[in-house]
Amino acid sequence: MSIEKFNKFKSVSFFKRDELSGIKIKNACAEAELFTQGAHLTHFKVNEKQPIIWCSRKARFKKNSAIRGGIPLCWPWFGNLNKNPDSVQASMGSSTSFAHGFVRNFDWKLIDFNEPSPKQTIVKMALFSNKETKQMFPHTFKLLIEFSISDQLGISFSVINTGTESFSYSSALHSYFAIGDINQSSISGFDQRVYIDALDNWQQKKQLGAVNFNSEVDRIYLDAPDKCRIGCVHQNRIIQLATTGSRSTVIWNPWIEKSKRLSDFDDTEYQEMVCIETANALQDFVTLNAGEKSNLTLTVSEM
Ligand code: TA6
């Protein structure tokens, strides 16, 4: 589709970064950057404030390769497929040995923009099942994602089963947040919640108080709260997440050793980021019958 038809939108411009096509949003209130590959948002910042979304200085912008940072979209499976429930595994086809599904590596279709006010820009993208997706996920589907860029970041992600049979999936908005200093940051909202510790034989544990960091953390909170906060003392701010349609939350920081193993991640970058992932993972998977639709939303604001 030619992008010329979108030139009427004042807050929108287009650019290339390495192999990928990008969309820059700059309105009276905020700025953002997204790529059509993976419908991947990589930057969000409210004017006169610090960026809220983090992206690695070593991120690669290559075809069929996930960008390290921003908000990668994990679908139709979260994590390693073999850790998913049978229903999710049974819904998949072949070539599924990599983590977090395949939609973050596919080029999404730019559907439209909307500028409800000078302070808000809405970006709509879609991905439709095709011959390639059907090898890994032998079903017919339509994915819709809508980003709202204003004094807060809004994301609405919908899955529509446009086929004739049901399928199951797990998913996550795998959001990387710029928190300044991990040693002066903590996450509240999970006290007394049960989580699966992916770093300790997937054992079930209970969260006591706030989530603090002094080593790698990789936890899947089931029956997660619909609100949580990141206290960033170093930046003198609180980042709040509010969700609907998400029953799990994943919290990850790679810490020192894993950071060194990630080729698209600087050794010290673990200090400035944390992932809080708005998910439906493990037994919180979703099953859609023919014609059914699911929706998950995330609203990120600074307090
Ligand atoms: O955030 C949870 C997690 O599954 C971690 O285990 C880690 O692998 C992270 O996702 C990043 O995964 P990626 O495939 O994007 O490198």
Side-chain angles (χ1 to χ4, degrees):
M1 166 187 301
S2 75
I3 59 174
E4 280 65 36
K5 71 175 247 187
F6 299 126
N7 284 343
K8 64 184 177 184
F9 297 102
K10 295 184 181 56
S11 62
V12 175
S13 59
F14 300 92
F15 66 97
K16 287 283 280 185
R17 186 167 299 153
D18 205 346
E19 296 177 6
L20 301 186
S21 299
I23 302 157
K24 192 180 288 290
I25 304 293
K26 176 77 177 144
N27 59 37
C29 196
E31 62 184 51
E33 279 186 1
L34 306 96
F35 291 87
T36 52
Q37 178 172 279
H40 196 141
L41 181 138
T42 54
H43 174 71
F44 172 72
K45 178 181 178 301
V46 177
N47 294 350
E48 281 81 56
K49 299 200 172 191
Q50 300 184 70
I52 289 181
I53 297 298
W54 178 88
C55 201
S56 172
R57 289 182 288 281
K58 293 179 75 175
R60 291 185 286 263
F61 296 84
K62 300 284 185 191
K63 289 279 185 209
N64 308 316
S65 166
I67 302 167
R68 177 65 62 195
I71 305 182
L73 182 49
C74 305
W75 193 88
W77 69 88
F78 173 80
N80 292 320
L81 184 56
N82 60 16
K83 288 291 182 190
N84 276 261
D86 293 347
S87 309
V88 174
Q89 295 194 43
S91 290
M92 303 303 157
S94 57
S95 336
T96 56
S97 59
F98 49 90
H100 295 331
F102 52 79
V103 300
R104 61 179 176 170
N105 296 340
F106 274 70
D107 226 29
W108 287 53
K109 184 176 161 67
L110 188 51
I111 299 297
D112 208 353
F113 296 93
N114 192 355
E115 290 174 329
S117 85
K119 293 187 171 183
Q120 184 184 19
T121 307
I122 293 172
V123 189
K124 297 177 186 176
M125 293 194 211
L127 181 69
F128 302 88
S129 49
N130 57 46
K131 193 164 44 55
E132 264 188 286
T133 64
K134 285 185 177 174
Q135 283 178 10
M136 297 172 281
F137 185 64
H139 303 282
T140 309
F141 64 83
K142 178 170 155 184
L143 305 184
L144 293 172
I145 195 161
E146 195 170 292
F147 298 91
S148 170
I149 308 299
S150 68
D151 60 350
Q152 56 188 23
L153 172 63
I155 301 175
S156 173
F157 170 57
S158 298
V159 179
I160 302 137
N161 181 342
T162 52
T164 56
E165 56 194 39
S166 64
F167 59 66
S168 297
Y169 70 85
S170 55
S171 68
L173 300 179
H174 193 300
S175 310
Y176 288 72
F177 292 96
I179 44 100
D181 180 353
I182 193 71
N183 299 300
Q184 299 184 56
S185 300
S186 69
I187 298 169
S188 59
F190 294 89
D191 184 29
Q192 306 300 315
R193 300 285 177 148
V194 167
Y195 66 89
I196 303 297
D197 188 341
L199 301 173
D200 188 5
N201 296 316
W202 295 76
Q203 285 185 65
Q204 187 166 299
K205 300 179 179 177
K206 180 179 272 190
Q207 180 62 42
L208 300 176
V211 181
N212 295 299
F213 300 85
N214 52 32
S215 63
E216 181 177 0
V217 167
D218 194 349
R219 302 175 184 174
I220 301 165
Y221 291 80
L222 302 170
D223 182 28
D226 57 11
K227 274 195 179 63
C228 71
R229 292 179 174 181
I230 315 171
C232 315
V233 172
H234 179 70
Q235 297 172 330
N236 188 29
R237 69 174 174 179
I238 291 172
I239 298 173
Q240 176 168 282
L241 283 65
T243 67
T244 64
S246 159
R247 292 190 301 275
S248 329
T249 299
V250 181
I251 296 179
W252 177 59
N253 183 284
W255 212 249
I256 299 167
E257 292 316 313
K258 183 141 194 189
S259 298
K260 289 176 183 168
R261 296 199 299 270
L262 295 171
S263 61
D264 53 357
F265 199 100
D266 240 358
D267 291 358
T268 60
E269 284 186 318
Y270 72 91
Q271 297 174 9
E272 52 190 81
M273 53 65 69
V274 69
C275 284
I276 301 184
E277 303 156 38
T278 305
N280 284 301
L282 298 179
Q283 55 262 43
D284 288 334
F285 66 89
V286 176
T287 297
L288 290 182
N289 296 318
E292 288 187 332
K293 173 178 179 180
S294 68
N295 179 253
L296 174 150
T297 69
L298 167 65
T299 303
V300 182
S301 53
E302 179 173 331
M303 306 169 75

